[in-house]
Amino acid sequence: MKKYTNFKDFMYDNYYNEIWAALNPHIIRQKSSFESDQIYDINYAELSDLKVSGVTFKDLGEDKLEIRTSIDAVVEVRGKTRYGYETDSANRTYNVFFEALLRNGLHDVSITKVDDYEENRFDKNRSLSQSLVPYMYEEDVDKHAEDFLRRNYGKALLQPMRIDPFEVVEAMGMKMYYAPLGDKVFGKTYFGEETVTVYDDLVNKNELQIVATPGTMLINPDVFFMRNIGTAFNTIIHECVHWDRHRRAFELQSVLEGGANHISCEMVEGDYNGIGPEESALKWMEWQANQLAPRILMPEKTTRWIFNKYLQDIHTTHPNWRYAEVLQETVGRVANYFSVSLLSAKLRLFELGFEEVEGTFVYCDGMMLPPYAFRKGTLDKQHSFVVDEQNLLMSIATNAKLLELYLHGVVVYANCTLAWNDPKYVELNENGKYILTEYGLEHVDECCFLFRRDYNASDQYKDTFYRRCFLCREVDADEYVPVKYDPDHKINQSKEQMQNEIDKIMAQINDEMQDVRSGMKAGFAGALDFYMTDNNITAEELSGRCGVSTVSISNYRNGTDPSIEKGTALALCKGLYLQEHQAIYFLNAAGYNIEALAVSNVFIRILITDHMDDTWEQWVEKLIMAKVTNDWIPNKNPVVKMVKERMEKNKKIS
């Protein structure tokens, strides 16, 4: 069997005679159209050669296709000229339309119309790509999901209910098996026959070989046990979408090449650069399945109704809860109702215009944060109040105004947000970390800065393949898209201009430090002695915490050592477990100002404000990994030596 790289060549080789037989009479009937200034009164016109120059497709339903071929024709004509009768040739382009059945091969192919060439009018609902993948635009995705349900699970459109994916599989005439697909593959859908290995017994995982026929779906059972039932439901519907929308593409591939039996759906890790118009058909298929699956599981009308019902019920039952807590409980119940993951429910609700759910089930830097609330209209899909430490450091280091605010303590890192350092908004928890107050959590738009998340896959499609793929996965702190400070956002601009608030915060800090300094001896020796005495810490205890010898601590405390190394001062600061303003004064007393505009100072500030409950060993590891803080690593410190040796050993092993 000859293989083809495109459908144009296939049509030329297999339907050349049919095209000729249909086109030639059309040319003969319109022979007068070939008259020109050179040749007229044409009495003869006939096709002498042709080439298939283009093919487009439309879906006619029931596996039927309209195939529109563009034919470049060479026509031989004979007519009068000023010198008598002559024969000449002319080039024309025509449209020849076919209808065909694409089911287990191409059948019932027939020509329905021949016409002069004109640009094909694009039909967004019926036109198919060159690979026979149907077009789909983001604004129409809900319409496509509803159409899928109407054809395969119509009762879900009559009243609110959970979608049962196993009933959908049965209604579509598909077969489903559990199979060993590997760690990365969630499911496979087969469009041709292939011998595959499946599980005959899930408990003992007995394996059995079967012949997968078209419409067979293999599911990795570990999606149930490794993740959750919401993941499994999403995977099953994902495969159903492939069978519903994409089997023609594989039928076409089989016609052209005699291959392409299945599509494998993998779990996507890491960054993905999005989908451009030039991307492969397989990537478009995955994009469509990832877009449609959550919308099928959570139909628009039902989801809106369920969300509003639960929101009202929970608010009535728990009138003393914060609004953000009510929202989080609502999202959880919506996820449970539809048997989808929490993140699936949250993203779906956000897409439907419930932007307030952005503050629910928030994960950052390996922890789940308390839910937060904000004024409606504050957020769009591109912005978030949440920022991880790495992106915070980059944002502060690249924005002079933000750097100034942070290094002067006007803003602090609390609950993975950058917030005003005001008792109304932030407070210290039992570990000395800044957290948002109850008021702050309910008014983050009032006290926190916004950061931008770049989700766009391309200019045409305002979403990402990657974001859609992790709808199939457990909520994980590592899944958050990198963010950066947005200085142009009106919320951030208004905060940057609040000089009165800045002055008030600075005055409070200065007053507090003035009270401390009044009971403290001058210089670094005085600061060290004061904080050791105030916290009731012995030299032996402090040495054990930071690796600085008791002899050195005694010398610093008594003022016999005139200067102290930068890294050693930081180690003592860590060992004393000082609060932020105390640590700043302590390091200043040692001669090191972390309020100076420098990236390394931002990193030290983050350690002091958000990691004071870590060990000195953990600080050393962070300092080494940060690279920008090499000058803050003490030269002679046993903890530093131990950490460096361990990291070097691990590096060699890896």
Side-chain angles (χ1 to χ4, degrees), residues 370-388:
Y372 62 82
F374 48 86
R375 282 180 296 119
K376 191 170 180 63
T378 301
L379 277 187
D380 55 28
K381 194 183 291 187
Q382 302 295 326
H383 288 89
S384 174
F385 291 103
V386 175
V387 58
D388 61 277

Side-chain angles (χ1 to χ4, degrees), residues 80-129:
K80 287 182 180 180
T81 69
R82 32 189 310 200
Y83 306 107
Y85 280 95
E86 289 189 11
T87 301
D88 199 1
S89 63
N91 296 319
R92 290 286 180 87
T93 303
Y94 298 92
N95 289 332
V96 178
F97 294 85
F98 291 78
E99 280 190 11
L101 179 69
L102 186 63
R103 185 187 297 158
N104 298 322
L106 196 66
H107 309 288
D108 303 336
V109 182
S110 62
I111 294 176
T112 59
K113 186 172 66 169
V114 177
D115 210 342
D116 292 345
Y117 176 81
E118 63 177 23
E119 288 287 341
N120 191 35
R121 293 180 180 177
F122 182 77
D123 184 342
K124 64 184 295 187
N125 296 317
R126 295 197 300 155
S127 293
L128 303 170
S129 75

Side-chain angles (χ1 to χ4, degrees), residues 502-515:
I502 295 173
D503 294 340
K504 183 175 73 172
I505 294 169
M506 294 304 299
Q508 290 173 347
I509 294 172
N510 290 333
D511 289 344
E512 184 176 348
M513 288 309 301
Q514 187 62 43
D515 292 340

Side-chain angles (χ1 to χ4, degrees), residues 245-260:
R245 293 181 66 84
H246 303 140
R247 61 180 181 268
R248 284 168 304 202
F250 285 83
E251 287 270 13
L252 176 67
Q253 200 68 21
S254 294
V255 169
L256 296 180
E257 296 186 7

